Amino acid sequence: MPTTMGRRERKKAQTRQALSEAALRLFSEHGYDGVTVAQIADEADVSIATLFAHVPDGKEALIFDDGSERRIWLTAAVHDRPPGQSVLEALRRSMAARGPFTDDLPPELRHKRDLIVNTPALREYSRKLWIACEEALAEAIATESGRDPSDMTIRALARYVLEIPELAGTEPDPLAALNAIFDLLEHGWPESPGKT
């Protein structure tokens, strides 16, 4: 039986949406560093206290969700992959269709993506959200490979994958960089020619 949001939850979601839209609009017009929390609160017609009640992490968090959506699609990529597809290939394909790795985004999402990629504070906050998915991704990889999620190699693999957006996202060709990193993870470091 589906649950519907109550009045309080709807009001919170509307306020959060208004704050997010105000922040994105102001960041676009004045640059991230040119906007204060007070200006965002004023633009959204809420108090500063209300802004921090909805977004305690500050202005960096205003244009992001809480990271739960990211965890869901990462673990779904692992668990719901087609038969015969490796975990790494499933993660590669899923990541390649998102964020800085695709141009197949509606204009408003492309604009938001570009703002994040070009703003160090927003990129760092995004990285924080990626890394927060490490435990869930490690558990998914462990389940699919029949290994213990506390195994250091499983945790390391999850962390390496979650660092890809930060490492590759600002490269001149982010998708090529993503593919190069996944190739390295899948096939290992190639031995230099002439070395034994």
Side-chain angles (χ1 to χ4, degrees):
M1 174 180 206
T3 59
T4 58
M5 275 198 261
R7 183 176 178 188
R8 173 179 259 175
E9 289 79 19
R10 282 195 313 275
K11 181 68 174 155
K12 285 172 71 174
Q14 289 169 349
T15 301
R16 178 76 166 100
Q17 183 66 32
L19 287 165
S20 180
E21 289 170 1
L24 188 56
R25 190 168 44 254
L26 289 171
F27 293 161
S28 298
E29 291 171 8
H30 306 288
Y32 174 81
D33 292 325
V35 176
T36 67
V37 171
Q39 289 171 311
I40 296 167
D42 188 52
E43 180 81 6
D45 197 27
V46 300
S47 70
I48 293 175
T50 299
L51 181 148
F52 280 112
H54 287 274
V55 189
D57 286 351
K59 72 179 188 175
E60 294 89 351
L62 283 166
I63 62 170
F64 294 96
D65 66 12
D66 64 1
S68 59
E69 182 180 311
R70 192 177 312 226
R71 262 188 311 282
I72 291 167
W73 70 255
L74 278 165
T75 56
V78 173
H79 291 306
D80 301 339
R81 69 191 194 285
Q85 186 179 72
S86 73
V87 166
L88 284 173
E89 184 59 25
L91 288 166
R92 178 197 303 242
R93 288 175 186 254
S94 186
M95 290 177 94
R98 290 177 166 75
F101 307 112
T102 183
D103 284 326
D104 190 24
L105 293 171
E108 67 277 1
L109 289 181
R110 194 172 321 129
H111 175 70
K112 184 176 177 179
R113 177 215 41 212
D114 293 345
L115 179 67
I116 293 166
V117 168
N118 295 314
T119 307
L122 296 176
R123 263 198 343 265
E124 183 56 34
Y125 192 82
S126 178
R127 180 179 179 268
K128 177 181 165 183
L129 292 175
W130 281 106
I131 299 304
C133 298
E134 183 180 328
E135 184 178 336
L137 182 57
E139 286 179 14
I141 294 169
T143 298
E144 295 299 313
S145 62
R147 298 172 79 169
D148 188 321
S150 67
D151 179 332
M152 174 53 77
T153 60
I154 296 291
R155 291 185 7 245
L157 181 59
R159 174 64 69 92
Y160 296 155
V161 167
L162 296 171
E163 290 287 0
I164 291 173
E166 174 62 21
L167 291 169
T170 58
E171 288 294 309
D173 185 344
L175 183 58
L178 172 134
N179 284 322
I181 295 169
F182 270 107
D183 287 345
L184 177 64
L185 290 174
E186 287 186 274
H187 307 294
W189 186 257
E191 194 61 44
S192 298
K195 300 283 186 180
T196 56

